[in-house]
Every structure is written in structure tokens, then in C-alpha cells.
């Protein structure tokens, strides 16, 4: 998805792309807004929703700075894989 082409679409067209083709990933409260992060065709799209009016204020492709707002909600579980040791055949 080309950023220039996406950003010149109307808000309704961008919302339709996100809702039809996107996968919801996360949301955070940021000031007076609920920010919703979606994955659309291997790119991240961020939607700002005004908490008072419950209306969409902005929909745009997310950059690195935008993605940092979601880091607190990410938890990674790292474990060591146990190797299955098979006994060698007896000769």
C-alpha cells in the first residue's frame, strides 16, 4: 500500500480499507484519544478516535514513532527449548 495514495483517500475510504482488509492488533489511550493499531497488507495503520465524540479523527500509516506508543502492551515469553535426546541404537 503506497503511503501517498492511502493518505489522499477520504477518511471514509481509509476506514473501509482498515475495516475490510485490516487485522486489529492493539489499542491504547493517549490523551483524549483511543488509538487503534491495525495491520493492513503488511503495513501498520493507526486510527485516532476522539473519546468525547466517539468519532474518527485520523487514519494514517504508522511510522516508528507511532509504534512506540504500543510497546508497553507487548509481552514476550522466552523459554529454552528442550532438545529431545534420542538414545543411540545399540550395536
Amino acid at each position: 500500500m503506497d503511503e501517498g495514495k492511502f493518505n489522499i483517500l477520504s477518511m471514509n475510504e481509509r476506514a473501509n480499507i482498515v475495516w475490510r482488509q485490516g487485522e486489529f492488533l492493539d489499542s491504547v489511550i493517549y490523551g483524549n484519544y483511543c488509538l487503534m493499531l491495525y495491520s493492513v497488507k503488511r503495513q501498520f495503520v493507526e486510527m485516532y478516535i476522539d473519546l468525547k465524540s466517539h468519532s474518527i479523527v485520523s487514519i494514517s500509516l504508522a511510522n516508528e514513532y507511532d509504534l512506540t506508543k504500543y510497546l508497553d502492551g507487548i509481552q514476550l515469553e522466552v523459554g529454552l527449548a528442550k532438545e529431545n535426546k534420542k538414545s543411540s541404537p545399540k550395536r
Side-chain angles (χ1 to χ4, degrees):
M1 180 170 24
D2 180 80
E3 183 175 4
K5 290 179 183 177
F6 184 77
N7 289 335
I8 62 170
L9 296 173
S10 72
M11 186 79 74
N12 286 338
E13 291 171 316
R14 285 182 270 165
N16 283 331
I17 288 172
V18 171
W19 289 325
R20 290 184 181 162
Q21 301 174 21
E23 178 182 347
F24 174 77
L25 299 175
D26 198 7
S27 65
V28 295
I29 302 300
Y30 192 75
N32 294 326
Y33 302 98
C34 176
L35 280 52
M36 302 180 82
L37 184 66
Y38 291 85
S39 173
V40 179
K41 295 184 178 181
R42 304 181 132 226
Q43 292 188 330
F44 296 109
V45 176
E46 189 175 48
M47 182 182 301
Y48 275 65
I49 299 175
D50 185 297
L51 292 172
K52 292 181 182 177
S53 66
H54 301 283
S55 61
I56 298 171
V57 177
S58 172
I59 302 173
S60 61
L61 294 178
N63 59 36
E64 284 183 37
Y65 171 76
D66 296 326
L67 296 176
T68 62
K69 294 176 267 194
Y70 301 91
L71 290 177
D72 288 340
I74 296 174
Q75 294 179 354
L76 299 177
E77 292 184 26
V78 180
L80 297 175
K82 292 184 180 179
E83 193 175 304
N84 241 351
K85 293 185 178 181
K86 296 181 182 178
S87 57
S88 47
K90 294 182 182 178
R91 294 184 182 178

